[in-house]
Amino acid sequence: MDYDGFFAGSLARLRNEGNYRVFADLERHCGQFPQATNRGAETREVTIWCSNDYLGMGQHPDVLVAMHDALDKVGAGAGGTRNISGTTHHHVLLEAELADLHGKEAALLFTSGYVSNWAALSTLASKIPDCLVLSDALNHASMIEGIRHAKAERQIWRHNDLAHLEELLAAQPLERPKLIAFESVYSMDGDIAPIAAICDLADKYNAMTYLDEVHAVGLYGPRGGGIAEREDLMGRLTVIEGTLGKAFGVMGGYIAASCDLCDFIRSFASGFIFTTALPPAIVAGAAASIRHLKQSCAERAAQKAKVAEVRARLDAIGIPHIDNPSHIIPVMVGDPVKCKYLSDILMRDYGIYIQPINYPTVPKGTERLRITPSPVHSAADIDLLIAALEVLWTQCQLARLPMAAQ
């Protein structure tokens, strides 16, 4: 077999389909987010409009001070896996903050949100005898891979379709172990799960619940505990999973649950046992971010206002975007080549960075620009974004909504 030829051919097909991904070489400016320098073929200054650092906490003074302080006091690395030499006092403090955030007895820290989902779901589903996993059709790849790795029986329920979920649950013996896995905010369409109704079904049919809140923690609820906190549902959920790499601005993932469940995952999950622990400085920064957002609603309020403004401005010029109750604004293009072209021209001519979202992240025909306004985007940033999209929408002959004629 011509191995290199196989690799080259596969990449060529991706390029021809418009689905080849190009990394933008960005250098963020400390204290000036969302501004950055793009160091590609040409060096240019850009404004980032697609970051998952939703609140700009990655450059918040409290976070940076905590990270510098930890680095100066304890050094760079954690020293190994948590089991051998990598559990530092900073890890213990962060897990206490996370348990408190979600109103749970305990929390367990992982190196990323992907790893936390993969490790926790695969361990629960594989170790609980005869466990059936019921997974929402639009769950994240990390959840899907964790469930697959478990090799337990799984059933996919139509996205946010309670009737379908109940149909699947009702077909099982009441005593059979069942785990319902779903997200709160779905990152591509920005819709929100009916958490209370899912908990009702879990109670009725003797099922555990596993809620991924990665696109909600820090952003919703009076202390940033997510949609479940906002709706006073945290106590009804078996496991709440989250990330430290989005609204909290650093990196890492975690689960929050009962002491025994967290200890069970700690004791049996290979994705936890055999992985080097996060550096203490990262952990300290995450703890500082969580503490700040537990006390401050200013960032959440400002972000909500900026999201509403961008939506209204898009409506005013007829740019189609998915109407949803979250902070995510998917601007629909529907063609991978045009989506990539729009992204390239926005970067080259306007200094606006929005990564195109193409297959396989979203289904073919639903390609989009995923816009995430933050509290630190200025009025001038918004003016430039709307003006650029209006010009490019006409240039690419893309459909507009009827409001554009008003």
Side-chain angles (χ1 to χ4, degrees):
M1 180 178 182
D2 179 4
Y3 296 109
D4 286 341
F6 169 77
F7 301 143
S10 298
L11 293 171
R13 283 191 294 276
L14 272 182
R15 291 188 180 93
N16 291 336
E17 294 166 357
N19 291 323
Y20 181 76
R21 302 176 186 215
V22 178
F23 289 162
D25 182 352
L26 298 174
E27 183 179 301
R28 304 203 324 174
H29 302 161
C30 186
Q32 299 178 46
F33 182 77
Q35 308 308 316
T37 299
N38 173 221
R39 299 193 182 281
E42 298 178 10
T43 298
R44 59 174 69 83
E45 301 306 305
V46 301
T47 301
I48 301 171
W49 273 101
C50 57
S51 175
N52 284 342
D53 186 355
Y54 292 128
L55 300 177
M57 292 301 294
Q59 300 187 27
H60 192 280
D62 288 358
V63 176
L64 299 185
V65 167
M67 294 182 72
H68 280 294
D69 183 59
L71 188 64
D72 290 341
K73 285 183 177 178
V74 303
T81 66
R82 292 283 300 276
N83 288 299
I84 296 175
S85 57
T87 294
T88 73
H89 188 53
H90 287 292
H91 292 82
V92 175
L93 293 175
L94 176 55
E95 287 175 341
E97 289 285 354
L98 290 166
D100 173 75
L101 177 67
H102 293 292
K104 295 296 186 183
E105 292 178 346
L108 189 64
L109 185 62
F110 296 83
T111 51
S112 73
Y114 190 105
V115 173
S116 58
N117 270 334
W118 183 90
L121 282 167
S122 65
T123 302
L124 289 170
S126 64
K127 295 294 185 182
I128 298 174
D130 195 32
C131 184
L132 170 66
V133 182
L134 299 112
S135 177
D136 185 285
L138 293 189
N139 276 342
H140 189 263
S142 58
M143 301 176 76
I144 294 169
E145 288 301 318
I147 294 165
R148 283 177 178 167
H149 183 75
K151 296 183 171 60
E153 184 182 352
R154 62 185 182 274
Q155 295 179 354
I156 311 302
W157 50 289
R158 291 186 293 271
H159 178 54
N160 281 347
D161 187 332
L162 295 170
H164 188 217
L165 175 59
E166 181 162 22
E167 177 186 333
L168 296 176
L169 286 165
Q172 298 297 322
L174 188 64
E175 65 275 10
R176 184 180 186 185
K178 295 172 284 289
L179 175 62
I180 304 171
F182 62 108
E183 301 181 38
S184 57
V185 177
Y186 286 84
S187 63
M188 288 299 114
D189 289 349
D191 55 335
I192 295 176
I195 302 174
I198 293 171
C199 289
D200 290 342
L201 291 177
D203 292 343
K204 182 178 179 181
Y205 293 101
N206 188 32
M208 298 181 295
T209 49
Y210 184 104
L211 176 63
D212 177 319
E213 287 256 48
V214 297
H215 290 278
V217 290
L219 298 169
Y220 300 92
R223 300 197 309 158
I227 299 296
E229 184 196 26
R230 186 186 73 179
E231 299 179 4
D232 194 24
L233 295 169
M234 294 189 297
R236 299 187 64 190
L237 294 153
T238 311
V239 181
I240 297 174
E241 185 269 347
T243 185
L244 305 168
K246 293 182 171 59
F248 292 129
V250 193
M251 72 171 292
Y254 64 89
I255 60 168
S258 68
C259 285
D260 284 345
L261 192 150
C262 287
D263 198 18
F264 179 83
I265 300 299
R266 182 190 70 85
S267 300
F268 290 104
S270 64
F272 175 87
I273 295 169
F274 300 106
T275 301
T276 298
L278 286 169
I282 296 291
V283 176
S289 181
I290 293 165
R291 284 193 295 269
H292 176 85
L293 290 174
K294 281 179 178 178
Q295 303 297 323
S296 173
C297 293
E299 292 82 5
R300 289 188 282 276
Q303 189 218 31
K304 186 177 180 179
K306 293 294 173 66
V307 169
E309 181 179 357
V310 172
R311 286 190 187 280
R313 296 283 295 275
L314 291 171
D315 286 340
I317 60 173
I319 300 294
H321 59 95
I322 295 177
D323 186 18
N324 63 53
S326 77
H327 58 284
I328 296 166
I329 305 178
V331 172
M332 304 307 290
V333 179
D335 178 276
V337 175
K338 287 185 177 180
C339 197
K340 177 68 166 58
Y341 174 81
L342 286 170
S343 176
D344 290 344
I345 300 304
L346 283 168
M347 179 81 96
R348 188 192 72 190
D349 295 350
Y350 297 94
I352 293 172
Y353 172 57
I354 309 176
Q355 187 75 353
I357 307 295
N358 292 344
Y359 179 83
T361 305
V362 295
K364 292 179 179 179
T366 68
E367 293 80 10
R368 65 199 65 184
L369 299 174
R370 180 180 176 275
I371 297 174
T372 54
S374 78
V376 290
H377 282 101
S378 68
D381 292 334
I382 296 174
D383 287 344
L384 180 58
L385 172 69
I386 298 303
L389 288 175
E390 184 167 26
V391 169
L392 292 178
W393 228 253
T394 300
Q395 183 178 325
C396 291
Q397 299 181 322
L398 293 167
R400 294 187 189 235
L401 297 175
M403 287 188 69
Q406 296 181 359

